[in-house]
Amino acid sequence: MDIPFLNLVAAHDPLSAELNEAAARVIASGWYIHGNECRAFEEDWARFLDAKHAVGVSNGLDALILSLKALGVGEGAEVIVPSNTYVATALAVTHVGARPVFVEPCLDTYNIDPRRIEAAINERTRAIMPVHLYGQAAEMTEIMAIAARHGLFVVEDNAQAQGATHKGQKTGTFGHCNGTSFYPGKNLGALGDAGAVSTNDPDLARKVRVLGNYGSQKKYYNEVIGYNNRLDEMQAALLRVKLPHLNDWTAQRQAIASAYLEGLSGVGDLVLPATHADSSHVYHLFVIRTKRRDELAEHLKQEGIGTLVHYPIPPHLQACYADLGFKRGDFPLAEEIADTALSLPIWPGMEREQTDVVIQAMVRFFNS
Ligand SMILES: *Cc1c(COP(=O)(O)O)cnc(C)c1O
């Protein structure tokens, strides 16, 4: 049985009538950008998070850029980001003219280590951008306390953890202005590119809305130098169909993760994901670590099982950041994760039988 790394059709198939109806409704409406679907989805998303405001935008990277812009973080500023993250977090900082300052993760949760943040703060630091990586909420109480002590903004990168909580509060509601992505593979995925900003501050919500719509509130009256970062009606309508199923999909991801955790415990040198006592994990990714990572990935591939590495090169070693002057060894924990991490198949609709096939293939690899 071939098992792909990800199968999005499994979640869409049962909703196909509703998705088609939503698409047909948008096509027939004659209105394709910033209309009723977008407004309705923004309200639904804010309600889901329990945030006061949500603004639909074009994608996750733009959500992070607009958040930093709205907070006035730009030229000359430093922004603290995790050394272990998808490059988009750092790119958002670079795109507003600021400098990403990397801070190492905890090796058990893979999220930014709050105990290492203060050493990276100086007079140029303006913001901290925690990432709820792989689907687990970062230690937000600690991070918000550090930010308050130093007068810094917090921008959560909530692209991977929609629905996760820290001390019962949803990610995307702690920071001053937060971004998420509805890239198709995310826990709540559109059928194209989409994203959203969430905030409890009406002024920041307005700023994001204006910046992302050519700097204008009133058509053809441009208050500031804006961008085109709008969410389209088609994606908003499709996201409205999918959002009511997110909690169920999260529960399915957590059940698959439980099966992996049980079936893989004590196997070979595997390091399995750990969840912080105060956080929940929505398993956007199920990431294991092993010194035999490449060999294991090849073995699974031979057995028809798809895996991916998140991420093979940490941001500080990417060619695009060569000018920051980092070298191998500068962020050893991020590098260790990049060298040993492997993401196993996980998606809503994945059958228990498929999870067992993956587990058995891994047990065979380590026992042979
Ligand atoms: C996916 C992702 C983004 C960017 O989202 P896009 O919609 O692809 O622009 C940002 N940060 C993290 C951690 C992500 O996983």
Side-chain angles (χ1 to χ4, degrees):
M1 155 169 34
D2 275 7
I3 301 172
F5 173 69
L6 180 62
N7 173 1
L8 297 177
V9 174
H12 291 157
D13 258 355
L15 303 179
S16 80
E18 276 180 87
L19 290 168
N20 281 302
E21 192 278 322
R25 186 173 73 229
V26 173
I27 293 167
S29 75
W31 194 276
Y32 306 115
I33 300 274
H34 272 186
N36 294 336
E37 301 287 348
C38 186
R39 286 289 163 276
F41 176 68
E42 288 174 343
E43 279 170 27
D44 292 350
W45 184 240
R47 195 173 312 114
F48 174 82
L49 290 178
D50 200 13
K52 291 218 170 69
H53 306 275
V55 182
V57 299
S58 36
N59 58 59
L61 176 59
D62 289 339
L64 298 174
I65 294 173
L66 289 171
S67 295
L68 291 168
K69 279 262 170 198
L71 290 166
V73 177
E75 218 64 54
E78 289 187 3
V79 177
I80 292 173
V81 300
S83 56
N84 181 47
T85 182
Y86 180 53
V87 72
T89 321
L91 288 180
V93 175
T94 306
H95 280 302
V96 301
R99 185 186 178 86
V101 173
F102 299 107
V103 168
E104 289 268 67
C106 303
L107 251 196
D108 50 354
T109 65
Y110 305 122
N111 275 326
I112 192 167
D113 186 346
R115 287 147 294 271
R116 295 171 187 265
I117 290 176
E118 274 182 313
I121 296 175
N122 62 40
E123 64 286 353
R124 290 180 300 279
T125 311
R126 293 291 309 280
I128 307 173
M129 287 180 81
V131 181
H132 309 295
L133 200 70
Y134 309 147
Q136 174 168 192
E139 290 173 61
M140 289 313 299
T141 320
E142 298 288 321
I143 293 167
M144 294 311 295
I146 295 165
R149 272 206 296 283
H150 295 270
L152 305 176
F153 293 122
V154 172
V155 173
E156 291 170 73
D157 179 340
N158 194 31
Q160 302 192 354
Q162 295 144 347
T165 57
H166 184 71
K167 297 189 179 163
Q169 184 180 339
K170 288 239 171 78
T171 55
T173 65
F174 292 87
H176 298 84
C177 200
N178 314 298
T180 195
S181 162
F182 305 118
Y183 178 77
K186 302 290 158 117
N187 285 29
L188 179 63
L191 281 75
D193 273 315
V197 169
S198 53
T199 178
N200 288 325
D201 181 333
D203 185 51
L204 286 173
R206 195 194 64 86
K207 279 186 174 147
V208 166
R209 203 178 283 291
V210 169
L211 273 170
N213 188 27
Y214 284 106
S216 94
Q217 267 192 107
K218 188 174 165 194
K219 208 171 168 70
Y220 306 131
Y221 289 75
N222 305 87
E223 306 161 29
V224 292
I225 303 288
Y227 306 86
N228 177 355
N229 297 143
R230 296 178 300 221
L231 172 64
D232 64 72
E233 289 285 280
M234 185 66 82
Q235 296 310 329
L238 297 169
L239 283 165
R240 285 180 70 198
V241 172
K242 292 185 70 178
L243 178 56
H245 301 275
L246 180 56
N247 286 338
D248 171 49
W249 290 333
T250 297
Q252 291 189 45
R253 288 176 182 275
Q254 289 168 335
I256 295 162
S258 296
Y260 278 146
L261 287 169
E262 196 187 311
L264 297 174
S265 130
V267 173
D269 69 338
L270 284 179
V271 180
L272 301 178
T275 306
H276 189 279
D278 292 329
S279 292
S280 77
H281 201 320
V282 296
Y283 293 101
H284 171 58
L285 298 169
F286 189 91
V287 178
I288 58 94
R289 288 196 296 122
T290 165
K291 293 213 175 344
R292 301 172 66 194
R293 190 262 314 273
D294 294 341
E295 229 184 307
L296 172 63
E298 184 53 35
H299 166 84
L300 293 175
K301 190 176 158 196
Q302 294 305 325
E303 304 224 355
I305 297 168
T307 60
L308 280 177
V309 174
H310 296 91
Y311 297 92
I313 304 175
H316 72 280
L317 296 179
Q318 291 286 357
C320 68
Y321 279 127
D323 64 326
L324 292 179
F326 291 115
K327 57 181 188 316
R328 225 186 141 73
D330 285 341
F331 296 97
L333 298 183
E335 293 164 21
E336 167 82 15
I337 295 165
D339 292 343
T340 58
L342 190 68
S343 304
L344 304 184
I346 190 164
W347 69 82
M350 184 179 183
E351 311 275 349
R352 176 63 211 234
E353 207 190 343
Q354 295 176 301
T355 313
D356 287 338
V357 168
V358 178
I359 293 169
Q360 283 150 20
M362 293 188 55
V363 169
R364 268 200 307 282
F365 170 80
F366 283 103
N367 288 348
S368 67

